[in-house]
Amino acid sequence: QVQLVESGGGLVQPGGSLRLSCAASGSILRINRMGWYRQAPGNQRELVAVITSGGSTNYADSVKDRFTISRNNAKNTVYLQMNSLKPEDTAVYYCKIEYYTFSSTYVSSWGQGTQVTVSS
């Protein structure tokens, strides 16, 4: 069983910053991709940013140059530094990991989500 614990969400004014963290634990042999997604009310869940085990990153156009994804492989943790936040960034943010289990299957798991609200 794998657990993902997210933290760092909250209320911030436009132009402010937040840093999200997602720590994975449990029956994980090796994590491949780690990513952040978000879902605003009435919208589908969308990709925000993803990082591979080699450190390659990919971002949604709407967050490029404002958000930075990073990871600490020793801690099985992925981070999302969000700067210059806008009201349209308001959403529930979910982390997702893709990993190999000890039985060599390749699976994915989602975090429980953390609310980010950008408002004055």
Side-chain angles (χ1 to χ4, degrees):
Q1 187 133 3
V2 170
Q3 286 189 325
L4 300 180
V5 179
E6 301 176 11
S7 61
L11 173 64
V12 64
Q13 292 187 341
S17 298
L18 283 175
R19 188 189 193 214
L20 306 183
S21 300
C22 174
S25 62
S27 301
I28 299 170
L29 177 61
R30 181 174 64 84
I31 299 176
N32 185 16
R33 284 157 47 107
M34 308 181 84
W36 289 96
Y37 294 73
R38 67 186 181 186
Q39 187 168 18
N43 290 353
Q44 290 186 334
R45 192 172 298 188
E46 62 177 3
L47 173 70
V48 176
V50 64
I51 184 168
T52 68
S53 57
S56 297
T57 59
N58 191 34
Y59 295 92
D61 287 342
S62 59
V63 307
K64 279 181 181 177
D65 301 323
R66 298 189 298 123
F67 291 9
T68 302
I69 189 171
S70 61
R71 62 190 283 172
N72 182 324
N73 291 327
K75 295 182 178 181
N76 283 347
T77 299
V78 61
Y79 306 97
L80 185 69
Q81 178 65 44
M82 304 185 293
N83 299 329
S84 302
L85 282 160
K86 305 175 181 180
E88 51 263 43
D89 295 317
T90 296
V92 178
Y93 284 69
Y94 299 89
C95 69
K96 178 185 177 183
I97 65 168
E98 298 173 13
Y99 61 98
Y100 291 93
T101 69
F102 289 101
S103 56
S104 299
T105 53
Y106 190 67
V107 297
S108 63
S109 291
W110 290 89
Q112 80 283 0
T114 185
Q115 177 70 45
V116 171
T117 302
V118 185
S119 174
S120 55

